[in-house]
Amino acid sequence: MTVGKRIGWTGLSILALVAAFGVQIVASMIIILPYALVEGIRQGMQAANGQDPGRMAEEFMANMGGIMGIVLVAAGVLLLMVFLPWYYFGCGRKKFTRESVSRVFSPRALLVVFLIAIALNYGINCLLQLVYVLAPQALEYYQQLMENAGIGSDLWANLAAVILAPLGEELVFRGVAFHYARKAVEGMRRPGTAFWIANCIQALLFGIYHMNLIQGIYAFVIGLVLGYLFQRYRSLIPGVLAHLVFNGMSALLGDTAYAWIPESVIWYAVIGVAGIGLVLIIMIKNGFASVDNEQNVA
């Protein structure tokens, strides 16, 4: 394959990220603009009646934070509407067979998926807590972002994070973006090297999609693991399940899932490294798909 073709396929992979950003912008405009218009008219009427402009501005910003969960839900639905047909028709129609479905839903595969998701969640969150203890200012923006989005506290935000994000983001990155990234490395002499190059491309795009450094770094790591699951089982389904479990632990269980961990730098470091290490061990023991020409399951 020529260099020009490889660049072209990589460009299509990047296009998936650009389209996902576009969906986010459209969803924000659909929800926020009408709300801002109505609120502007209401507060204009209040100002005419002598209400304090400063207090009205604070009220407007507080109410704006309350609709972010609805924006996230709208964005998740739009992602599905755009990328489900793109993945199905643009990246090769998926072929269901008894063997392929049993491979994806076998007890061993499901156990691997859930163990990886849980170990990855504990590993990343303990390392984040370690960073917070050692350098709290490094996580200030990230924590503010999570609070503004309502993750863990707002019903709509939790719905978006636990259900819609795993479905939509897996379609975008492990589906469309990874498809084109694998096309870009086709024909390389070492299939294993080709896979990891393509996997790094889609994981990097996944990290960029989160639009902040802290979340981008750990999203890159998560993206690598989810890319492995796609390659290993030739399906988006294991990645969707792992993504759902990971987000569900963080958004729904909150401090409950981590209450047993002593508040100690040493414990955060040990459990964080052990969690990531366990993920690597499971991946190595579970093996990698050795061929790249098998049609995807779903």
Side-chain angles (χ1 to χ4, degrees), residues 10-33:
T10 304
L12 288 174
S13 187
I14 296 172
L15 179 62
L17 172 65
V18 174
F21 278 137
V23 167
Q24 296 279 359
I25 294 171
V26 170
S28 299
M29 293 176 63
I30 290 173
I31 303 300
I32 292 177
L33 287 182

Side-chain angles (χ1 to χ4, degrees), residues 35-270:
Y35 171 79
L37 178 61
V38 172
E39 278 294 298
I41 294 173
R42 184 180 69 84
Q43 294 199 7
M45 295 173 63
Q46 290 180 344
N49 293 329
Q51 294 282 346
D52 179 23
R55 184 173 181 178
M56 288 190 300
E58 292 178 2
E59 180 185 350
F60 176 81
M61 294 307 297
N63 293 338
M64 184 69 75
I67 68 167
M68 288 309 298
I70 299 176
V71 173
L72 293 175
V73 169
V77 172
L78 285 177
L79 277 181
L80 293 177
M81 292 174 63
V82 171
F83 282 91
L84 187 58
W86 187 346
Y87 176 63
Y88 184 79
F89 295 106
C91 302
R93 296 191 180 187
K94 311 305 169 277
K95 181 180 180 181
F96 288 89
T97 65
R98 179 177 299 179
E99 187 276 331
S100 61
V101 172
S102 64
R103 180 177 68 239
V104 171
F105 291 102
S106 70
R108 174 187 171 86
L110 293 176
L111 179 62
V112 165
V113 167
F114 282 97
L115 286 178
I116 282 179
I118 293 169
L120 192 61
N121 185 281
Y122 275 113
I124 287 177
N125 279 289
C126 284
L127 292 178
L128 283 175
Q129 191 63 32
L130 177 64
V131 172
Y132 178 75
V133 171
L134 298 178
Q137 68 281 359
L139 290 180
E140 287 181 359
Y141 175 73
Y142 167 73
Q143 290 180 319
Q144 187 62 48
L145 188 67
M146 294 296 102
E147 290 177 6
N148 291 342
I151 304 298
S153 59
D154 180 78
L155 175 62
W156 293 106
N158 288 341
L159 173 63
V162 179
I163 302 298
L164 294 174
L167 291 170
E169 291 175 3
E170 292 310 301
L171 280 169
V172 176
F173 297 101
R174 263 60 66 185
V176 176
F178 199 15
H179 171 79
Y180 293 130
R182 294 199 314 274
K183 287 286 187 182
V185 298
E186 268 186 1
M188 293 184 65
R189 293 183 179 179
R190 297 184 177 181
T193 301
F195 160 72
W196 282 110
I197 292 174
N199 201 27
C200 285
I201 291 173
Q202 65 83 16
L204 178 61
L205 296 176
F206 185 51
I208 294 172
Y209 179 71
H210 287 80
M211 291 296 288
N212 71 86
L213 182 61
I214 296 297
Q215 203 173 7
I217 291 173
Y218 75 70
F220 174 77
V221 175
I222 294 171
L224 291 176
V225 176
L226 296 177
Y228 158 79
L229 289 175
F230 180 89
Q231 175 76 5
R232 176 64 178 82
Y233 296 105
R234 311 305 300 158
S235 170
L236 288 177
I237 295 171
V240 169
L241 293 176
H243 202 153
L244 187 153
V245 172
F246 185 98
N247 286 8
M249 287 181 65
S250 299
L252 302 181
L253 297 183
D255 295 335
T256 304
Y258 318 107
W260 61 273
I261 302 174
E263 295 184 4
S264 164
V265 170
I266 295 176
W267 277 104
Y268 291 143
V270 169

